[in-house]
């Protein structure tokens, strides 16, 4: 088991590394070359900038039972198809029961934006989001390690 992080703009990189260290799990950060992200106790994979380049590199490297941290529903769906686990930065664990509704919601929001309507952005991150993430990631690790 490894923890792979879609690290561009991910607010829980340090927290994920801290948890991974506790369980002696390798952590790999994926980001494009426009970002410099060097963290102690993790490996960083840089990819050329481009639409979904980070996602495709991460997808190419994920193995069954790995844990991926991403807020991208599309990537999460592909990760699940590879029998890996996926969680977002707020502790939501993606699974076969919630991914379709999340993808549909994303599709409808995009459709509305294309028609000139405004959609809500993400709410401001709170301390409770970090706690939820920590609980969910720890649970994933303990259940599947």
């Amino acid at each position: 088991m490894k923890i792979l992080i879609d690290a561009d703009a991910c607010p829980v990189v340090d927290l994920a590394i801290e948890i991974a260290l506790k369980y002696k799990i390798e952590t790999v950060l994926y980001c494009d070359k426009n970002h410099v992200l060097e963290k102690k106790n993790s490996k960083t994979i840089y990819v050329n900038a481009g639409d979904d380049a980070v996602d495709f590199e991460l997808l190419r490297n994920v193995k069954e039972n790995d844990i991926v941290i991403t807020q991208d529903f599309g990537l999460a769906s592909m990760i699940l198809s590879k029998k890996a686990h996926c969680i977002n930065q707020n502790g939501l664990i993606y699974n076969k029961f919630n991914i379709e509704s999340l993808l549909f919601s994303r599709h409808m929001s995009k459709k509305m934006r294309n028609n000139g309507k405004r959609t809500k952005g993400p709410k401001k991150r709170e301390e409770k989001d970090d706690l939820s993430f920590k609980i969910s990631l720890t649970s994933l690790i303990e259940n599947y390690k």
Side-chain angles (χ1 to χ4, degrees), residues 10-68:
C10 179
V12 293
V13 170
D14 292 330
L15 184 54
I17 292 169
E18 175 187 316
I19 295 167
L21 272 173
K22 177 181 173 187
Y23 289 93
K24 297 179 174 70
I25 299 172
E26 181 182 355
T27 306
V28 184
L29 312 177
Y30 289 81
C31 61
D32 68 38
K33 290 182 177 178
N34 291 329
H35 297 86
V36 176
L37 192 59
E38 295 295 328
K39 297 285 185 176
K40 188 177 178 184
N41 300 310
S42 70
K43 176 181 175 184
T44 302
I45 306 275
Y46 292 100
V47 299
N48 290 326
D51 289 345
D52 301 320
V54 169
D55 298 349
F56 290 125
E57 185 63 23
L58 196 153
L59 188 62
R60 188 173 17 264
N61 291 295
V62 71
K63 305 284 186 248
E64 185 174 338
N65 214 35
D66 284 346
I67 297 173
V68 175

Side-chain angles (χ1 to χ4, degrees), residues 1-2 5 8 14 18 23 40 47-48 57 61 64 76 81 91 94 112-113 120 127 130 139:
M1 173 186 284
K2 291 182 185 175
I5 304 175
D8 291 338
D14 292 330
E18 175 187 316
Y23 289 93
K40 188 177 178 184
V47 299
N48 290 326
E57 185 63 23
N61 291 295
E64 185 174 338
S81 74
Y94 301 106
M112 288 173 57
R113 286 190 304 275
K120 287 184 179 180
E127 202 172 305
D130 284 346
S139 173

Side-chain angles (χ1 to χ4, degrees), residues 90-141:
N90 296 331
L92 172 68
I93 298 172
Y94 301 106
N95 59 48
K96 65 182 180 181
F97 303 108
N98 64 15
I99 196 65
E100 285 187 29
S101 64
L102 293 167
L103 288 168
F104 181 73
S105 174
R106 181 181 79 163
H107 169 74
M108 294 307 293
S109 291
K110 183 174 183 178
K111 206 171 173 179
M112 288 173 57
R113 286 190 304 275
N114 287 344
N115 288 325
K117 302 225 176 11
R118 294 180 59 101
T119 57
K120 287 184 179 180
K123 62 182 183 168
K124 185 178 177 189
R125 187 162 186 81
E126 298 177 12
E127 202 172 305
K128 67 179 179 149
D129 297 321
D130 284 346
L131 180 59
S132 293
F133 173 79
K134 185 176 184 175
I135 291 168
S136 293
L137 181 56
T138 300
S139 173
L140 272 177
I141 292 168

